[in-house]
Amino acid sequence: MNKRKLHKFFNNKEEFAPNERLWLFCMLMLVAGFFGGFTFSLRGRVFVNAQTGNLVLLSLGFATWDTALIKNALATFLAYFCGIIMAELISKKINKTSFLIWERILLIFSIIVTICLGFIPEAAPYEFTNFPIAFTAAMQFNTFEKAHGMGMATPFCTNHVKQASANLIRFLRTRDDNKLRISLSHLSMILSFIIGATLSIFLGRFLFGKAIWLSTIFLIITFYFFSKSIKEYKKKL
């Protein structure tokens, strides 16, 4: 794949709006992986992005009457629930005022949240960290839903594994290049998640809670290029 094709693969400006480009979703997936690795390794071993896992932990807490686990898993689940509701209630109303303004507000909010989290003492209850992260991840999940014409989830990998493997087999059967493109797109999301989680776990050994600030840097970079792509897109309209 040459440089031009690679650029189009991740940033197809000709066919898709700025909020539906694969590079943006890969960056959000990188941050999601960072969140997941951070909360699991440093903040109570909860799955801040994947609520199925948290429901298992909540059930385990009830079965063993582990009150600390119950509080942490329940707070994370409720934060995720509230984040979906909040995004659904206000996103469409805000976007009526300006093109993709809600998406930019959400990225700024995510930046502010991660900056603040770095100042939380290590001894503070885990809920102080996990609640805002889960809330933010849920809003991103409800806001960014489609990339390059494909349904994409930014907080977790389950559907990406299915789509990557299923479309790889379809490509091998039919030699349809579009199936290969879909498979590689979902594999890119999985790889982004793994990179983010690995970085957070590795850096957490040395920086502890301050490691969250690396996700702030990723979000700032994402916001900058996303805003830039919106300006370019508007000029073409």
Side-chain angles (χ1 to χ4, degrees), residues 33-197:
F34 200 98
F35 285 166
F38 182 83
T39 57
F40 188 82
S41 62
L42 296 173
R43 296 296 184 264
R45 304 184 77 80
V46 295
F47 302 97
V48 72
N49 302 326
Q51 294 311 303
T52 302
N54 275 333
L55 290 177
V56 172
L57 292 175
L58 182 62
S59 302
L60 176 63
F62 284 135
T64 59
W65 201 243
D66 185 337
T67 54
L69 182 59
I70 291 171
K71 284 196 306 176
N72 202 10
L74 186 59
T76 305
F77 175 77
L78 290 176
Y80 207 90
F81 192 83
C82 292
I84 295 290
I85 292 174
M86 180 65 70
E88 188 65 26
L89 285 174
I90 67 177
S91 59
K92 292 179 176 60
K93 293 181 179 178
I94 291 178
N95 269 342
K96 288 180 180 178
T97 63
S98 180
F99 182 63
L100 297 180
I101 187 65
W102 163 246
E103 285 78 358
R104 282 173 281 173
I105 290 173
L106 178 54
L107 288 174
I108 292 172
F109 175 77
S110 303
I111 291 168
I112 294 171
V113 166
T114 54
I115 290 174
C116 293
L117 289 177
F119 292 105
I120 293 179
E122 297 298 325
Y126 294 144
E127 294 83 2
F128 284 28
T129 299
N130 295 342
F131 192 99
I133 290 180
F135 186 82
T136 302
M139 287 199 294
Q140 289 182 4
F141 175 44
N142 196 65
T143 300
F144 299 95
E145 300 177 302
K146 186 179 290 187
H148 286 188
M150 299 169 283
M152 287 282 185
T154 54
F156 45 81
C157 292
T158 305
N159 187 56
H160 297 304
V161 175
K162 173 191 172 184
Q163 295 298 332
S165 53
N167 280 284
L168 177 60
I169 294 301
R170 291 165 189 163
F171 165 72
L172 294 174
R173 286 175 179 167
T174 64
R175 296 298 171 178
D176 182 350
D177 289 342
N178 188 53
K179 302 301 181 185
L180 179 61
R181 179 184 66 85
I182 294 172
S183 179
L184 291 176
S185 296
H186 287 280
L187 282 172
S188 299
M189 295 289 281
I190 295 170
L191 181 61
S192 298
F193 190 94
I194 292 171
I195 292 172

